[in-house]
Amino acid sequence: MENQSSGSVARDAAQAQLRAARQAHDASVRRAIAPAGFILALSVFCGAQTIAPAYKGPGNVVSIIAVVWVLAELLKMSAHNQWRPLRSWPKPRWGVIEVTLISVAVVVGGAIGPHLLASHSNAAPASWGAGAAVTVVVAVCLFAAKASYRRRASRAWQR
C-alpha cells in the first residue's frame, strides 16, 4: 500500500503549482483572442469595401492588399497553432460587452460601410474618408472587445 501524507502541501510547491496554472491560463487567454495584426487586417478590409465603386482602381489595390494581409495573418495564426485546425483553439467565453462590441464592428464593417456609405455619388475625399472612418470604428470595437475579455479573464485570478 502506498502511504499518503495527511499534511498540507508545502508552501513552495503550492506557489509553483499556482504560478504554472496562471501561466497556462494566460497562454490560453492569449491564444483564444485574435492577434492585433489580424484585427487591423480585418479593419482595413472593411474600410476598403467602403470606398465608392466609382474609385475602383485605387480601391481595388487596397482591397487586394487587405485580402492578402488577412490571409497572411491566418497563415501566421495557423503556424502559431502548429498547423492544427484553428477550430482547435480555446473558445473564449464572451461577455455581453464583448458580444455587443463585436456585433457593432460586424454591422459597421459588413453592412453600413459597404452597403450604405459606398455610393457612386461620393467625391473621392468623402469616399476615402468614409473608408478610413469604417476602418477606425471596426478596429476600435474589436480592440475594445479584446481588452474587455483580457481584463475579465485576468480578474479570475484576483478572486
Side-chain angles (χ1 to χ4, degrees), residues 1-47:
M1 289 195 148
E2 189 176 311
N3 290 336
Q4 293 183 355
S5 68
S6 60
S8 62
V9 177
R11 180 179 171 99
D12 293 338
Q15 287 177 343
Q17 287 176 346
L18 182 60
R19 191 176 323 110
R22 282 183 180 164
Q23 288 173 348
H25 178 264
D26 291 345
S28 176
V29 167
R30 277 192 307 273
R31 285 185 50 217
I33 53 180
F38 187 69
I39 291 173
L40 289 174
L42 285 176
S43 301
V44 169
F45 178 75
C46 291

Side-chain angles (χ1 to χ4, degrees), residues 50-53 108 111-120 122 126-127 130-131 133-134:
T50 304
I51 297 170
V108 169
I112 293 175
H115 297 293
L116 297 178
L117 296 178
S119 171
H120 286 286
N122 287 351
S127 179
V134 167

Side-chain angles (χ1 to χ4, degrees), residues 42-125:
L42 285 176
S43 301
V44 169
F45 178 75
C46 291
Q49 298 307 306
T50 304
I51 297 170
Y55 308 105
K56 281 294 188 187
N60 284 345
V61 172
V62 173
S63 295
I64 291 170
I65 290 170
V67 168
V68 169
W69 189 9
V70 168
L71 292 175
E73 288 295 330
L74 284 172
L75 284 173
K76 193 165 80 172
M77 289 166 51
S78 292
H80 284 290
N81 200 33
Q82 298 167 349
W83 301 105
R84 293 185 310 247
L86 290 178
R87 67 175 176 256
S88 69
W89 271 19
K91 312 296 186 279
R93 296 178 197 261
W94 300 112
V96 174
I97 293 171
E98 292 95 9
V99 170
T100 303
L101 287 167
I102 291 169
S103 299
V104 167
V106 167
V107 168
V108 169
I112 293 175
H115 297 293
L116 297 178
L117 296 178
S119 171
H120 286 286
S121 62
N122 287 351

